[in-house]
Amino acid sequence: MPEIVSYSHPRKILGYITSVKLLSLCFAITSKEVYPDGSVFHRLVHLTLCTCWKEWLKLLMYLLRNSPTLQALKLIQRHTLEDDRQSPRWNEPSSVPECVLSSLETLQWVRYEGTEEEKGVVEFILKSANCLKKATISSKATDPNKKLEMIKELSSSPRRSPTCQLIFD
């Protein structure tokens, strides 16, 4: 069973755990001091990242750039978001992280809302991932029309990997 560690200085702990194979992160903090300088997660193959923190997009891109052997990515909204939470801005990176090009095989998104930022991340991974075998999207939407619109949008997104299955829950 994985250990759960709570630490008030995420930058320090991320710098110390660069040899992990499985990592699950949720930062319910407002600190921007998260990214350890020069840390590379060479052994990380499974990453779960909570999208409840307003800086989750920056952390995601940091981890993708610094995890060259990542095979499985799970994004999940574990906590209720504050109504006044500012949505992060998606800016497509100028280069594709090595793991997306050479090792990422699965993407799972739990409680996907279909925001522009979320859609941007999924579309970027679908069009960039050479080895992606399966992308599973579990929608948070209860409105069947909204859910159908999300399915149509993502289904029409180009996929780099010809064998990638796009599954909607």
Side-chain angles (χ1 to χ4, degrees):
M1 184 165 156
E3 271 191 55
I4 297 175
V5 177
S6 179
Y7 195 70
S8 59
H9 301 288
R11 181 180 196 169
K12 287 182 183 178
I13 197 153
L14 281 177
Y16 294 138
I17 61 170
T18 57
S19 64
V20 298
K21 289 184 176 183
L22 174 70
L23 183 60
S24 182
L25 295 172
C26 181
F27 290 125
I29 58 171
T30 57
S31 171
K32 292 184 181 182
E33 296 297 318
V34 174
Y35 319 103
D37 297 327
S39 296
V40 178
F41 298 82
H42 289 289
R43 297 183 64 207
L44 184 63
V45 291
H46 297 278
L47 172 64
T48 300
L49 182 64
C50 187
T51 62
C52 65
W53 180 48
K54 70 178 184 175
E55 299 288 326
W56 72 270
L57 268 175
K58 289 180 185 176
L59 182 58
L60 172 64
M61 292 312 299
Y62 170 83
L63 289 166
L64 289 177
R65 282 191 307 274
N66 292 289
S67 305
T69 59
L70 187 68
Q71 295 173 9
L73 174 62
K74 180 178 181 179
L75 300 170
I76 183 170
Q77 182 185 328
R78 288 190 175 123
H79 306 96
T80 305
L81 303 175
E82 313 280 323
D83 286 338
D84 61 345
R85 177 184 86 132
Q86 286 185 348
S87 213
R89 291 282 210 186
W90 167 249
N91 293 312
E92 189 167 314
S94 56
S95 63
V96 180
E98 182 181 338
C99 68
V100 176
L101 290 172
S102 63
S103 61
L104 188 65
E105 295 179 355
T106 61
L107 167 66
Q108 181 183 9
W109 201 310
V110 179
R111 298 186 76 190
Y112 177 84
E113 294 180 326
T115 65
E116 288 302 312
E117 293 74 26
E118 291 176 343
K119 190 169 75 168
V121 171
V122 173
E123 289 175 345
F124 171 73
I125 290 174
L126 288 175
K127 78 177 182 183
S128 304
N130 286 322
C131 304
L132 196 64
K133 295 176 182 173
K134 184 165 67 169
T136 305
I137 310 296
S138 302
S139 175
K140 185 179 174 180
T142 54
D143 178 1
N145 292 328
K146 183 175 180 182
K147 201 170 194 172
L148 181 60
E149 186 60 34
M150 283 190 259
I151 291 169
K152 285 180 183 178
E153 285 177 340
L154 293 179
S155 294
S156 65
S157 297
R159 286 176 234 162
R160 184 168 195 142
S161 173
T163 60
C164 177
Q165 291 181 300
L166 188 56
I167 299 166
F168 294 94
D169 282 344

